[in-house]
Amino acid sequence: MRAIASVQTYLVSQTKATAPSAARSARMATRPVFRPATTTTALAVFRKAWPVTCSNSAQPQQQTIASSPELVVASSTPASAATTLAVVLSLGAGAILPFPAAAALAQPLADLSEGLETPVQLIYLAALLGFLVVGAFLVVRQVLIRRELEEAAKVLGERVRTGEATSEDSFELGVILLRKKLFTQATKNLEKAKKGWQGEEEELAQVHNALGYAYFNMERVDSAVEEYKAAVALQPGYVTAWNNLGDAYERLKEYGPALDAYREALSYAPDNKVAQSRADFCKTRLERTGKL
């Protein structure tokens, strides 16, 4: 009998412990419960009047929510209340809209992103193709130029070896070798062209200028200066030779004669940017050293 009484006492105590109190039951009854309803409710709390369009059917409905905080209940199509809450929180503080309305507001943004994705991809693709085309063009152009120079050098070299080459042929071969950066071989052919020149003296200025360029790149700057002087003496309006002469004087750190050479170039070509920039540089150096 004592054992039965003990069991009954234990069951009664467990029932009391697990049974909710009346106050707790009342509080739980007043709490809002979100249910995955067949007709869910949507809540909207606004501090300012805001017209909201909710589409529950083919006919849109217009709701205007007052400026004072209040609870507005609107029927909507079946949806999860949690989903409604998550979507609408992105619209702003305190706003909860029916899920169809929130989806209607989010859909244009999705359509816009999808509409922009294709043009952006096309722009990137067009830019990539443009770079590839330009790169391929430059490569092909360099290959063709190099092939042309090699063929011309082969033909002119054969003439020189057989003794059939003229002074003009030697000059052309020297220029080709300059473009290939073979300065020693270029110098030999240009010297031969200068000694046996049979053309006009003004055209001989081009031979002197080319020979001066070869000497300059071989670090024989003094010889380059002499060739550039000979070029401008034969053709005073030879702007390229004047610029080359100024560059050679700069290499020798003789900024006064370099400035004079650039000024001569500008007297024939006032818009020559190379002569303008280098003349300004030489003038600044002379002013700093007090020689101007």
Side-chain angles (χ1 to χ4, degrees):
M1 295 295 292
R2 291 179 180 179
I4 295 173
S6 298
V7 172
Q8 291 177 350
T9 303
Y10 174 76
L11 293 174
V12 171
S13 64
Q14 290 298 317
T15 303
K16 291 181 179 180
T18 57
S21 63
R24 184 180 178 187
S25 299
R27 289 196 302 270
M28 292 178 64
T30 59
R31 291 181 179 177
V33 179
F34 292 100
R35 299 182 179 87
T38 56
T39 56
T40 56
T41 59
L43 309 177
V45 179
F46 294 84
R47 296 190 179 277
K48 294 183 180 180
W50 185 19
V52 180
T53 302
C54 304
S55 178
N56 296 328
S57 61
Q59 298 296 329
Q61 299 176 356
Q62 184 75 18
Q63 284 186 333
T64 302
I65 301 175
S67 57
S68 60
E70 56 181 326
L71 193 63
V72 178
V73 179
S75 63
S76 65
T77 57
S80 168
T83 304
T84 303
L85 178 63
V87 172
V88 179
L89 282 178
S90 63
L91 297 178
I96 303 180
L97 294 176
F99 181 76
L105 291 174
Q107 187 61 34
L109 296 176
D111 295 341
L112 180 61
S113 63
E114 291 178 358
L116 290 176
E117 183 177 359
T118 301
V120 170
Q121 291 178 351
L122 291 176
I123 292 173
Y124 285 142
L125 181 60
L128 179 60
L129 290 176
F131 284 124
L132 291 176
V133 169
V134 172
F137 171 76
L138 293 176
V139 171
V140 172
R141 183 171 178 268
Q142 290 297 325
V143 171
L144 293 176
I145 291 175
R146 182 174 299 180
R147 182 177 299 177
E148 183 180 356
L149 290 176
E150 290 177 355
E151 292 178 355
K154 186 180 296 185
V155 173
L156 293 172
E158 186 64 26
R159 290 182 183 177
V160 171
R161 282 191 294 270
T162 58
E164 299 177 356
T166 62
S167 57
E168 288 83 356
D169 292 336
S170 298
F171 170 66
E172 291 181 6
L173 180 59
V175 172
I176 292 173
L177 294 173
L178 283 179
R179 295 182 65 178
K180 297 178 68 173
K181 299 185 184 302
L182 301 175
F183 300 112
T184 302
Q185 298 178 22
T187 302
K188 294 179 181 180
N189 287 277
L190 291 172
E191 286 286 358
K192 185 180 294 186
K194 183 178 70 172
K195 292 178 181 179
W197 189 255
Q198 299 173 354
E200 296 181 3
E201 290 187 355
E202 292 184 355
E203 294 179 354
L204 182 59
Q206 298 180 9
V207 180
H208 286 290
N209 181 69
L211 191 56
Y213 181 77
Y215 284 139
F216 183 85
N217 283 277
M218 294 171 64
E219 300 299 331
R220 296 173 58 180
V221 184
D222 292 330
S223 299
V225 169
E226 295 301 322
E227 295 298 332
Y228 291 143
K229 284 183 177 180
V232 296
L234 292 172
Q235 190 175 344
Y238 199 172
V239 176
T240 301
W242 281 115
N243 283 337
N244 289 339
L245 179 60
D247 191 21
Y249 276 128
E250 280 193 69
R251 178 70 65 87
L252 297 173
K253 298 187 183 303
E254 298 180 11
Y255 298 106
L259 180 60
D260 294 337
Y262 291 130
R263 284 175 174 173
E264 286 291 337
L266 290 172
S267 66
Y268 294 101
D271 296 332
N272 190 278
K273 294 182 179 180
V274 174
Q276 288 176 353
S277 61
R278 300 315 302 170
D280 293 339
F281 174 79
C282 293
K283 184 177 180 181
T284 302
R285 294 298 298 265
L286 291 172
E287 289 176 348
R288 289 179 179 177
T289 57
K291 296 180 179 180
L292 186 64

